């Protein structure tokens, strides 16, 4: 019995020792600035225990040879449909479903998580689709590991433009039947805005009249009220120039905290975006056909970044997007600074998602989500050699 | 059962009811039937060699191996008829099909509204449907008629003796579905997220609501939240299984999973949740993955049962096929037999009545020409509540 106990203690002690990793010899990008030589990263118990030059290395720690390799924090993709059936996954029985939660439909074993990990993405924001005016709540989710949820209900999706109306029908002659649940508003861009304003005004009514238990806010209204109170960020999909301006106008009208999603034609409305001071989660710059008939430009990201807008690069749920690291490369091709492009897939999206205390940068105490690259990650020849999530390797080691 | 049936006949006295009873009344053994066979699996893995079973009033009164001469005398005194099926015959408990839609002609959902917890399958149960004759002939002596997969909360399943009128205690588990069939493009919910949201909305309504003020639907839902009545959740893919287990945790449900086709991909979660699984029947068309699943579950310690589902007339003898194929796939015979007898009985909460041949249980007995997991074996007789329903010549 005593021997068994001793063995147990010994083995658990060994496991704890095994948990301590020392990554030495690589050039390290911490989430800001440029790659630095000579930095050592020490990982313990799933967290970054220390990072710096000439720091003491605990005895018995496992050395990982990172010579001639490049280290970045695990990438953060701030707009995805990973684990959902498609980018159009919505509860379509109603246009206004802000209370519906993407987390209820995620398949944690989905193949696209594995592809994301292989491309160095360790954290993703997963949100419902674009077929509803208010699509629902998104979740910040790790792409691998044991404990996947980072932050529940991190934002509510609002979609402007034509997509929410595209599934609806109007007159009988146009394919609509009055008994169908799709025989409803909106049917166009203006109707979408009308739905947004009606939903917010209804929520304000309930909040302000406060008539007691008979008129309790619905689950949907509770989400909208927390958006009106600026406790919940409103992830606003706006692609066309006029949609971006609409988003900013609605933000001002209702005092809501908007994050612009996709923002394909932000180059047309740059002054307004800068003046509003809202963050942007841009769509993939490699994709040359904008959604909803919008016109993308390769230099949009560079323009936004140079104008001082807080901008993240995302795959925007698009199945035709390249791996996030390649999209960052396209942003550089469009004129974005290399360091800014790397920050736009690590520390900036983490900050926009409100999870920068845990992921997106390599600092003491943060989650040990680390990618070891074969070359400078923005090189088209680069490959994620190893990926750790919470200090645990989640890919097979390769050359 | 018999006394209840007689009482039922007397009280109702309806012409149809009498018609249904008359067939069984002819064969009923009023005072003891002695059944002899080479072997009896009283429970999976528990055999009586040269077994004698004494049946009285629809119940098993005694079951012994190699009876002594004295015991034989006593048995013969109590039995007014003796059926000796010979030394090659094997007895098992009648099969329990815990999830079937047989004989209902698509009647088991009200799909215009997806949340219909108050609907009762016993009201759609047609005891005279020809399907039941076919199903009992294949060895199913107890069945749970379940609302089908088209509704998020389909209603309450009914535990029945196939072919006999449903008893007053027929109401069984609460049937839910998170499969694609429940996601109708023309009504709520259209998505899995929406299904979770709908359930949350209905559960929230129950908070601070006095039971007296509840609608029948709300009462039915309240009966399962917190772990009262058990819940069967149909789910197929990984995301559906996760959603089912999420609901289980959130509302503290006493869950078992139905189908769970992709259980292998999220095995750890199912093991952690400690929920039983009711699998689709195995057949000659089953995919490799389906064939592998029972073994995977057995290895992980997950209790599984087979269901007959729609029991399409494929020409194969129903649950016996699943039993035989499971054994061929490497499941132990005891475990495979349990998956069509004791486990479904447990899931339906009817272990005290059916699933085994212990003393005091319903006399639901299958007489096989050999081991039941051998597809060469035929059913020589199907006995339910002590009455011979079907008999085949040796």
């Amino acid at each position: 019995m005593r021997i068994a106990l001793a063995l147990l203690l010994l083995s658990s002690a060994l496991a704890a020792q095994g948990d301590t990793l020392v990554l030495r010899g690589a050039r390290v990008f911490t989430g800001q600035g440029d790659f630095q030589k000579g930095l050592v990263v020490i990982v313990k118990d799933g967290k970054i225990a220390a990072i710096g030059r000439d720091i003491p290395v605990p005895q018995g720690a496992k050395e990982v040879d990172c010579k001639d390799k490049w280290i970045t924090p695990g990438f953060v993709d701030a707009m995805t449909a990973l684990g959902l059936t498609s980018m159009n996954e919505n509860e379509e029985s109603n246009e206004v479903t802000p209370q519906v939660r993407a987390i209820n439909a995620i398949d944690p074993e989905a193949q696209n998580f594995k592809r994301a990990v292989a491309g160095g993405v360790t954290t993703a924001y997963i949100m419902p689709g674009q077929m509803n005016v208010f699509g629902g709540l998104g979740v910040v989710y790790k792409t691998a590991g044991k404990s996947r949820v980072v932050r529940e209900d991190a934002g509510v999706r609002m979609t402007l433009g034509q997509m929410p109306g595209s599934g609806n029908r109007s007159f009988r002659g146009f394919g609509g039947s009055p008994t169908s649940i799709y025989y409803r508003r909106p049917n166009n861009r203006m109707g979408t805005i009308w739905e947004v304003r009606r939903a917010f005004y209804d929520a304000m009514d309930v909040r302000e009249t406060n008539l007691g238990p008979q008129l309790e806010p619905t689950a949907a209204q509770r989400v909208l009220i927390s958006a009106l109170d600026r406790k919940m960020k409103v992830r606003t999909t706006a692609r066309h120039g006029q949609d971006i301006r609409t988003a900013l106008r609605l933000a001002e009208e209702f005092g809501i905290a908007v994050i612009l999603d996709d923002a394909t034609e932000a180059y047309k409305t740059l002054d307004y975006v800068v003046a509003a001071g809202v963050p942007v989660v841009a769509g993939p710059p490699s994709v040359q056909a904008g959604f909803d008939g919008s016109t993308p430009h390769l230099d949009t990201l560079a323009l936004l970044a140079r104008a001082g807008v807080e901008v993240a690069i995302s795959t925007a749920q698009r199945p035709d997007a390249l791996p996030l690291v390649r999209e960052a490369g396209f942003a550089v091709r469009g004129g974005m600074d290399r360091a800014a492009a790397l920050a736009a897939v690590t520390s900036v999206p983490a900050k926009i998602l409100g999870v920068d205390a845990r992921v997106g940068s390599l600092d003491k105490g943060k989650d040990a989500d680390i990618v070891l690259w074969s070359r400078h990650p923005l090189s088209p020849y680069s490959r994620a050699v190893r990926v750790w999530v919470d200090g645990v390797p989640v890919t097979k080691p390769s050359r | 059962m018999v006394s209840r049936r007689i009482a039922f006949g007397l009280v109702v006295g309806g012409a149809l009811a009498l018609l249904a009873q008359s067939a069984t009344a002819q064969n009923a053994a009023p005072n003891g039937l002695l059944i002899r066979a080479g072997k009896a699996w009283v429970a999976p893995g528990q055999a009586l060699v040269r077994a004698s079973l004494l049946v009285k009033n629809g119940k098993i009164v005694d079951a012994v191996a190699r009876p002594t001469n004295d015991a034989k005398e006593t048995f013969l005194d109590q039995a007014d008829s003796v059926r000796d099926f010979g030394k090659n015959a094997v007895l098992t408990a009648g099969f329990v099909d815990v999830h079937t839609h047989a004989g209902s002609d698509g009647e088991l959902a009200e799909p215009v509204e997806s949340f219909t917890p108050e609907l009762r399958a016993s009201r759609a149960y047609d005891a005279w449907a020809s399907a039941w004759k076919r199903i009992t002939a294949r060895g199913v002596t107890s069945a749970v008629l379940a609302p089908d997969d088209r509704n998020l909360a389909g209603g309450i399943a009914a535990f029945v003796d196939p072919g006999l009128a449903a008893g007053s205690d027929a109401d069984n588990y609460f049937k839910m579905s998170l499969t694609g069939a429940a996601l109708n493009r023309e009504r709520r919910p259209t998505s899995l997220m929406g299904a979770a949201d709908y359930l949350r909305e209905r559960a929230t309504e129950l908070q601070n609501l006095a039971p007296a003020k509840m609608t029948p639907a709300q009462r039915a839902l309240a009966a399962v939240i917190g772990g009262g009545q058990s819940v069967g959740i149909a789910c197929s893919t990984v995301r559906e299984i996760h959603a089912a287990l999420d609901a289980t945790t959130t509302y503290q449900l006493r869950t078992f999973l139905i189908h769970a086709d992709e259980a292998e991909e999220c095995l750890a979660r199912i093991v952690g949740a400690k929920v039983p699984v009711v699998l689709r029947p195995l057949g000659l068309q089953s995919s490799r993955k389906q064939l592998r699943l029972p073994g995977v579950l057995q290895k992980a310690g997950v209790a599984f049962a087979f269901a007959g589902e729609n029991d399409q007339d494929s020409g194969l003898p129903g649950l016996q096929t699943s039993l035989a194929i499971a054994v061929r796939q490497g499941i132990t015979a005891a475990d495979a037999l349990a998956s069509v007898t004791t486990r479904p009985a447990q899931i339906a909460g009817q272990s005290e009545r059916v699933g085994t041949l212990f003393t005091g249980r319903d006399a639901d007995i299958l007489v096989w020409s050999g081991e039941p997991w051998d597809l060469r074996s035929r059913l020589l007789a199907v006995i339910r509540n002590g009455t011979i329903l079907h008999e085949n010549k040796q």
Side-chain angles (χ1 to χ4, degrees), chain B residues 126-191:
Chain B
D126 175 10
W128 294 273
S130 61
W132 299 121
K133 203 171 232 177
R134 194 176 75 230
I135 284 165
T136 48
R138 291 167 172 187
V140 175
T141 54
S142 309
V144 186
L145 187 69
D148 67 27
D149 293 354
R150 283 178 291 164
N151 274 4
L152 172 59
I156 298 160
F159 182 84
V160 296
D161 287 355
L164 292 183
S168 56
D169 56 350
D171 285 351
N172 206 270
Y173 59 80
F174 184 91
K175 170 73 189 281
M176 286 178 58
S177 170
L178 294 170
T179 63
L183 311 178
N184 187 313
R185 303 308 288 179
E186 289 296 335
R187 56 111 170 95
R188 188 182 184 193
T190 70
S191 65

Side-chain angles (χ1 to χ4, degrees), chain A residues 25 31 41 53 59-60 81 110 112 117 159-160 165 171 177 223 299 303 306 312 339 342 344 351 370-371 377 390:
Chain A
V41 185
R53 289 168 217 280
Q59 272 201 333
N112 50 19
V117 173
T159 307
L160 301 176
F171 302 111
S177 150
V223 174
D299 58 1
L303 286 172
R306 237 173 275 144
L342 282 175
K351 180 157 177 273
I370 300 168
V371 187
D390 297 324

Side-chain angles (χ1 to χ4, degrees), chain B residues 253-323:
Chain B
L253 305 178
R254 210 151 57 75
T255 297
F256 63 93
L257 303 181
I258 300 170
H259 311 318
D261 301 303
E262 294 186 359
E264 194 176 350
E265 285 90 324
C266 50
L267 194 59
R269 181 89 203 269
I270 295 175
V271 172
K274 296 193 176 72
V275 293
V277 177
V278 174
L279 297 171
R280 293 181 203 274
L282 296 179
L284 298 180
Q285 282 89 19
S286 296
S287 64
R288 281 187 189 190
K289 191 173 155 184
Q290 265 180 303
L291 291 172
R292 201 169 54 226
L293 189 53
V296 169
L297 294 176
Q298 185 190 42
K299 213 171 151 194
V302 177
F304 63 91
F306 290 108
E309 303 287 341
N310 290 316
D311 218 295
Q312 296 294 329
D313 201 348
S314 64
L316 281 170
L319 289 179
Q320 195 207 352
T321 320
S322 297
L323 173 62

Side-chain angles (χ1 to χ4, degrees), chain A residues 22-26 62-69 372:
Chain A
V22 179
L23 312 183
R24 197 199 296 272
K62 200 175 138 198
E63 287 264 351
V64 180
D65 182 18
C66 304
K67 201 162 171 282
D68 299 331
K69 302 235 171 16
L372 186 66

